[in-house]
Amino acid sequence: MQVVITGGAGFLGQRLARSLLKQGSLPDRSGQLQTISKIVLVDVVAATGFDDARIEQVTGDISDSALLERVITPQSAAIFHLAAIVSGQAEADFDLGMRINLDASRLLLERCRACAHVPRVIFTSSVAVFGGVLPAVVQDHTALNPQSSYGTQKAIAELLLNDFSRKGFVDGRVLRLPTISVRPGKPNQAASSFASGIMREPLNGQPAICPVAPDTRLWLLSPRKVIASLIHGYALAAETLGKSRTINLPGISVTVAEMVAALERVAGKPVAARVEWAHDPVIDRIISSWPGAWDASRATALGFVGDANFDDIIRAYIEDDLPAV
Ligand SMILES: NC(=O)c1ccc[n+]([C@@H]2O[C@H](COP(=O)([O-])OP(=O)(O)OC[C@H]3O[C@@H](n4cnc5c(N)ncnc54)[C@H](O)[C@@H]3O)[C@@H](O)[C@H]2O)c1
């Protein structure tokens, strides 16, 4: 079984690769477990810290069709399409976002179609596909009304994946990810970067700026649960998905003030006091357009599992990622 991960050097791509290496196998179309022989990490930068013969790294741009021809072959049974220009950057650079989030996604699907082996393609979408006047409860089938270029690009790619699946070119699964927190490492150009920064920086002894109001509600999932969800989403039998390949993943709905209160409970008052508040209208406009919760009952019925509470998410970050002192 050969696996391709686009964006394989990114935050989720690297974690997914490590989990797949550890797990060692994935089910094939008939549900039989197959040993993973190769994982191809495709990214514009190289991943570091992999010392495993099953990992092959390909450095290049997924909007280059020659690169896609090289990395996606009739042996690529599982394709996790994670490469993306994140929300803040896609908003700042319209052309780049369109080229990578949309055009390259279509090229990738066309490459799968040309291979004619109907690979399973897992695509990571986002809360950003929703926006505008939202119903009290956002469902999997709530009308898409993105209020950012990133959300628009994700929404179009979702529809393409559904149609390529309906036509039998790929066996696609679109997982709409909540905002992932707590993300380790440095801040990135996602509008939601602060949702990790206001936990991570204080836990690492640094101040952090929160650019949105304390009552801003976020829909969150931990790194542990999102990786488990990607693998679970891959393993689902196609028949269980019915007429829609798109699934809102479970999350927890918390306000930013509740996040900081959780930080105080887990790590103490001096740590939580490192969060400073400074409104940023650009970030606030994007974040406030996203739903702060959605109905994940379909995902739950399909066996996806979210986090129990935000305190546990902070504890998981401390266990998994906080550098030892
Ligand atoms: N982390 C989150 O909170 C979150 C939430 C919702 C959706 N998502 C989606 O999940 C996926 C992974 O997110 P992440 O947090 O790991 O992001 P990330 O930015 O860490 O990883 C994305 C990777 O894509 C690579 N990439 C960018 N352009 C490329 C190109 N032209 N060719 C090849 N590789 C390219 C980047 O170098 C990067 O390593 C993305 O599709 C993202 O939109 C993430």
Side-chain angles (χ1 to χ4, degrees):
M1 155 89 60
Q2 295 192 11
V3 179
V4 175
I5 305 178
T6 74
F11 160 50
L12 297 182
Q14 292 206 35
R15 282 188 181 229
L16 175 64
R18 284 183 221 291
S19 290
L20 290 176
L21 288 172
K22 200 164 161 202
Q23 180 169 311
S25 60
L26 280 174
D28 62 15
R29 212 168 301 160
S30 59
Q32 297 296 311
L33 278 185
Q34 300 293 337
T35 301
I36 296 172
S37 53
K38 182 157 94 170
I39 301 178
V40 185
L41 304 181
V42 189
D43 204 301
V44 285
V45 293
T48 51
F50 283 97
D51 181 20
D52 191 301
R54 292 168 291 175
I55 292 285
E56 179 184 325
Q57 297 221 36
V58 177
T59 310
D61 184 338
I62 55 152
S63 65
D64 170 6
S65 49
L67 176 102
L68 289 176
E69 274 176 37
R70 231 174 88 212
V71 296
I72 298 177
T73 70
Q75 283 68 50
S76 313
I79 299 168
F80 291 87
H81 177 32
L82 272 51
I85 300 302
V86 294
S87 50
Q89 193 181 6
E91 196 61 16
D93 190 338
F94 181 81
D95 294 314
L96 180 66
M98 282 289 170
R99 185 163 65 80
I100 308 308
N101 295 345
L102 178 53
D103 301 342
S105 295
R106 179 162 178 213
L107 277 180
L108 180 142
L109 290 171
E110 290 291 2
R111 173 60 191 155
C112 293
R113 178 184 172 200
C115 287
H117 65 303
V118 195
R120 273 193 191 169
V121 180
I122 316 302
F123 175 63
T124 43
S125 189
S126 158
V127 284
V129 298
F130 297 116
V133 180
L134 288 166
V137 181
V138 169
Q139 312 273 355
D140 286 24
H141 55 267
T142 294
L144 304 186
N145 188 13
Q147 302 297 309
S148 65
S149 298
Y150 171 78
T152 303
Q153 292 145 12
K154 289 285 187 187
I156 299 170
E158 282 191 359
L159 290 172
L160 286 175
L161 203 88
N162 269 277
D163 202 43
F164 274 66
S165 300
R166 185 186 63 81
K167 295 291 284 181
F169 303 146
V170 301
D171 176 1
R173 290 99 205 275
V174 176
L175 303 184
R176 285 201 192 113
L177 273 45
T179 293
I180 310 305
S181 177
V182 179
R183 177 192 169 107
K186 294 191 167 46
N188 70 353
Q189 294 190 69
S192 57
S193 181
F194 74 90
S196 291
I198 59 171
M199 300 292 118
R200 182 186 60 227
E201 268 63 286
L203 285 166
N204 285 282
Q206 305 294 322
I209 290 178
C210 183
V212 299
D215 63 352
T216 304
R217 191 163 278 284
L218 300 174
W219 184 237
L220 300 177
L221 188 65
S222 66
R224 281 185 190 177
K225 296 292 185 196
V226 72
I227 298 303
S229 295
L230 291 173
I231 296 173
H232 182 72
Y234 168 84
L236 286 174
E239 311 80 74
T240 60
L241 300 172
K243 287 197 184 301
S244 173
R245 299 303 183 120
T246 305
I247 303 163
N248 289 348
L249 289 189
I252 52 168
S253 182
V254 285
T255 65
V256 175
E258 287 164 354
M259 291 170 74
V260 176
L263 182 63
E264 186 173 322
R265 278 194 299 277
V266 173
K269 216 176 177 98
V271 172
R274 294 185 184 128
V275 178
E276 297 163 19
W277 305 83
H279 184 245
D280 179 326
V282 176
I283 292 178
D284 192 21
R285 187 193 63 73
I286 295 178
I287 297 296
S288 304
S289 74
W290 299 353
W294 60 35
D295 173 19
S297 53
R298 178 159 172 254
T300 306
L302 286 168
F304 290 94
V305 180
D307 298 281
N309 55 62
F310 194 69
D311 296 42
D312 285 354
I313 292 182
I314 300 174
R315 288 190 196 99
Y317 168 77
I318 292 170
E319 260 176 61
D320 294 352
D321 294 302
L322 191 65
V325 278

